[in-house]
Amino acid sequence: MLHNIYNVVTDMQIQLGNYRGLVFKVDQEQGVWIVRVKSNDRTKYAKIELLINDEEETVVGSLLRYRGFARNEVDNIMNGMIERL
C-alpha cells in the first residue's frame, strides 16, 4: 500500500529540510503530483513530478527542472520520496 504523499513530504522536510534549510511544497495539477523544493535563501530550486498509481502501487518520478542543487542532492530527494511512497 502506498503512503500518503503529504506524510512522505513531511518526513522529507524533517529529515532534509531542517538540516539543509529546504522547504517542500506539494500541489496536484491535472492528476499529477508536483513537489517543489526550495532553499530558504532561494538559491536552490527543484520541481519534481510524481505519477502515483494507487491501484498498481507504482510511482514514477520525473525531474522537471532544477537550479543550484548538485545532481546527487536532487537524486537523494527524489529517491527518498519514491522509497517512502
Side-chain angles (χ1 to χ4, degrees):
M1 181 168 125
L2 293 173
H3 297 337
N4 180 297
I5 189 167
Y6 294 104
N7 292 341
V8 168
V9 171
T10 299
D11 289 347
M12 294 295 295
Q13 174 77 42
I14 291 168
Q15 179 184 350
L16 296 175
N18 295 336
Y19 173 69
R20 296 187 181 152
L22 302 178
V23 177
F24 290 71
K25 181 181 176 191
V26 177
D27 293 312
Q28 189 175 28
E29 299 174 5
Q30 301 173 347
V32 175
W33 292 98
I34 302 293
V35 179
R36 290 176 176 84
V37 184
K38 296 180 186 177
S39 61
N40 288 333
D41 62 3
R42 298 181 186 250
T43 59
K44 296 181 179 183
Y45 173 81
K47 184 176 181 183
I48 300 165
E49 175 184 81
L50 296 171
L51 302 172
I52 300 172
N53 185 330
D54 288 318
E55 293 174 11
E56 295 180 13
E57 294 189 6
T58 60
V59 180
V60 176
S62 300
L63 178 61
L64 299 179
R65 69 178 76 113
Y66 73 102
R67 163 185 91 230
F69 283 105
R71 180 59 197 224
N72 68 334
E73 290 178 302
V74 175
D75 287 345
N76 288 339
I77 292 169
M78 287 182 63
N79 291 340
M81 285 190 292
I82 291 172
E83 288 171 7
R84 285 172 172 79
L85 285 168

